[in-house]
Amino acid sequence: NDASPASYLIKEVQVTGAKSIDEKAIITILGFNAGDTVQIPGPAIADAIRRLWKQGLVKDVAIHASRVADHHVVLTVSVTECPRLSAYFFEGIKKKEQEKLMEKIALVKGKVVTDKLIKNTQTAIKDYFVEQGYLYTTVTIASVPDPTRAEHIQLKIKVDKGAEVSINAIHFEGNQHIRSDVLRSQ
């Protein structure tokens, strides 16, 4: 098995596994076209994979050289797309709170569901309840396969607000210049 790099003329770029992402868009992001020269193994392949990862559209990608003959190669790009959101629902909070949260969080049907999207959603929900006085809110988001649409998931958002925190008293120490009631009102 010789691992030294060699240059190949790309005869064709094929994409497999793409369902909702346009294959031409994937090829454009990769930056490879028929007629280009590529070194295999080489940094161009790794850079192309990184560019595709940065888009946040796929959860797995691999590039294989197939039908290598006479320094010509067919590149096959295999992708596994990130699932898309078909619906989301809340558990553990009142309908009015759900309506307020729907305005705060950026969940749109058809959006690609990534770890970052889930983390941002959790943070937005916790921040909302902190503003309401619930400092110990926990948010658990579970993805459930959509039974009616392949490649789509539903998000089950379970919220436990915890106890509401209220301030019983404010004590000032070392205050010599301003009355405590003036500070307390501020």
Side-chain angles (χ1 to χ4, degrees), residues 79-124:
V79 297
T80 304
E81 294 181 14
C82 290
R84 294 188 178 266
L85 181 66
S86 63
Y88 64 94
F89 51 94
F90 294 96
E91 289 183 357
I93 56 174
K94 297 175 186 167
K95 187 80 169 164
K96 188 77 172 167
E97 293 168 323
Q98 292 178 25
E99 290 169 2
K100 292 281 187 187
L101 283 173
M102 287 177 172
E103 295 171 13
K104 292 263 184 205
I105 58 178
L107 292 179
V108 180
K109 291 180 182 176
K111 191 169 192 165
V112 175
V113 178
T114 63
D115 291 340
K116 183 177 180 180
L117 175 78
I118 290 173
K119 187 69 175 164
N120 289 345
T121 301
Q122 284 177 317
T123 301

Side-chain angles (χ1 to χ4, degrees), residues 97 125-134 137 159 161:
E97 293 168 323
I125 293 170
K126 284 181 184 180
D127 289 348
Y128 171 78
F129 282 110
V130 165
E131 291 173 10
Q132 305 303 313
Y134 296 92
T137 301
V159 180
K161 295 188 299 186

